Amino acid sequence: MLPEKTITAIIIEDDEEALSLLEIYLKAFREIEVIDKTLNPKQGIKLLIRKMPDIVFLDIDMPEVNGLEVAEAIKENQLNTEIVFTTAHSKYAFKSLDLQPLDYLVKPFGPEELISVINRYKARDKKKELERSMDIFVRNNRPIAKIKLNTKSGIVFINPDEIMMIQSQINHCYIFLSNGSVELVTHMMQNILELVDSPNMVRASRSSYINLQYLRRIDRKNRLCVLTHQDIVIEEQLNRTTLSFFEKLNCYPIT
């Protein structure tokens, strides 16, 4: 059996006493690791982007930048961080719903309410893993059809499972195949991804997607991934979100 995954957390709270009390509560849970905290919401946004925690405990009623604005920054930066709003004012609850928080805690709250938050996080995380596994199972147990893509000189037919990486340019894309060839197609990235329709395709950076079937190694220091097939080797830069995605997974199904 795999060990229980540590849930990383950051606290953003402008009241020092409330922050300290919440940190004490969280430290009582062995599965939670508070990796940072701040009284400054602007600094909090920087911490979230740099450290990408599993959960942020976020006060809503803060000066200059409120918690709702911090939550918007989380969505804009496409961070996989679940939001738990903490506030003394229940009037904010309705405004926060559009941001799809994991939970909403009205102060004062105690460890009992945090048990509910942690269980909710575990359930949502398990559901995401199950949905991904099911997507891969369905994909791998249906007939493989080649996709038709336009090139500058004609048409190319490609087996989606042979795609190692897709790299986007201004108005075209390069498709790197497992036989070592590279096809230049006149399609936008999103159009190709819809045709491929595979959960194995994961965003590596702003301009590229990689196929998990060919992922061999990740260089954390240089934020690089290495894809291999026989004697074919491809290196590609990873963004912070994708690097965090791999670091948080104990394993994932690849066929």
Side-chain angles (χ1 to χ4, degrees):
M1 180 180 293
L2 292 171
E4 187 171 29
K5 187 177 75 171
T6 299
I7 302 170
T8 57
I10 284 179
I11 305 171
I12 303 176
E13 164 67 67
D14 71 330
D15 183 287
E16 189 167 1
E17 184 177 343
L19 188 154
S20 298
L21 184 59
L22 177 53
E23 185 178 19
I24 291 171
Y25 287 161
L26 290 174
K27 285 184 176 179
F29 296 91
R30 63 181 182 181
E31 61 264 65
I32 294 283
E33 179 186 1
V34 178
I35 58 175
D36 222 320
K37 58 187 177 181
T38 181
L39 297 167
N40 185 324
K42 291 183 179 179
Q43 175 65 21
I45 293 174
K46 295 178 181 178
L47 290 174
L48 290 168
I49 294 173
R50 188 168 73 249
K51 299 192 175 184
M52 291 179 292
D54 296 314
I55 300 177
V56 58
F57 289 88
L58 178 58
D59 185 24
I60 293 183
D61 191 15
M62 295 185 289
E64 295 187 33
V65 177
N66 65 42
L68 298 177
E69 292 172 302
V70 176
E72 290 285 1
I74 291 173
K75 301 299 182 183
E76 289 172 5
N77 286 276
Q78 298 181 323
L79 304 180
N80 295 321
T81 298
E82 297 286 359
I83 300 166
V84 178
F85 285 118
T86 63
T87 180
H89 306 286
S90 58
K91 65 181 180 179
Y92 292 113
F94 182 75
K95 293 181 180 179
S96 72
L97 291 179
D98 288 340
L99 296 166
Q100 299 180 317
L102 175 69
D103 216 331
Y104 188 97
L105 299 177
V106 178
K107 302 174 184 175
F109 56 85
E112 295 80 9
E113 288 86 351
L114 289 174
I115 293 173
S116 175
V117 170
I118 294 169
N119 288 337
R120 189 185 296 269
Y121 173 82
K122 289 178 179 178
R124 185 175 291 190
D125 190 51
K126 185 176 181 179
K127 181 180 178 183
K128 288 178 182 178
E129 287 294 319
L130 180 60
E131 288 174 348
R132 175 169 177 77
S133 298
M134 289 300 297
D135 284 344
I136 292 174
F137 175 81
V138 171
R139 169 70 184 176
N140 291 333
N141 286 275
R142 68 184 182 189
I144 297 173
K146 290 187 176 182
I147 59 174
K148 182 179 77 171
L149 298 170
N150 296 321
T151 68
K152 289 184 177 181
S153 59
I155 298 171
V156 63
F157 296 89
I158 295 175
N159 181 337
D161 288 345
E162 294 176 358
I163 297 175
M164 296 181 70
M165 182 173 72
I166 307 171
Q167 199 173 71
S168 174
Q169 299 298 322
I170 296 174
N171 57 2
H172 59 269
C173 286
Y174 290 101
I175 297 183
F176 295 76
L177 299 173
S178 58
N179 63 6
S181 64
V182 180
E183 296 286 353
L184 174 60
V185 299
T186 55
H187 291 258
M188 302 300 286
M189 175 73 82
Q190 189 58 42
N191 179 231
I192 298 173
L193 292 172
E194 289 173 0
L195 291 171
V196 172
D197 186 26
S198 171
N200 281 336
M201 299 303 300
V202 174
R203 181 190 290 274
S205 66
R206 185 183 296 269
S207 61
S208 65
Y209 275 74
I210 60 172
N211 190 335
L212 292 180
Q213 293 185 76
Y214 300 101
L215 180 62
R216 176 62 180 273
R217 185 171 65 254
I218 292 174
D219 181 340
R220 184 183 294 106
K221 180 179 179 182
N222 297 305
R223 291 226 313 267
L224 284 173
C225 67
V226 180
L227 311 177
T228 65
H229 179 68
Q230 297 178 356
D231 59 345
I232 307 299
V233 179
I234 299 173
E235 291 187 351
E236 181 65 7
Q237 200 75 39
L238 292 173
N239 62 25
R240 291 183 182 275
T241 301
T242 305
L243 180 60
S244 175
F245 167 77
F246 289 124
E247 288 183 334
K248 290 175 182 177
L249 288 179
N250 290 320
C251 63
Y252 49 85
I254 301 177
T255 60

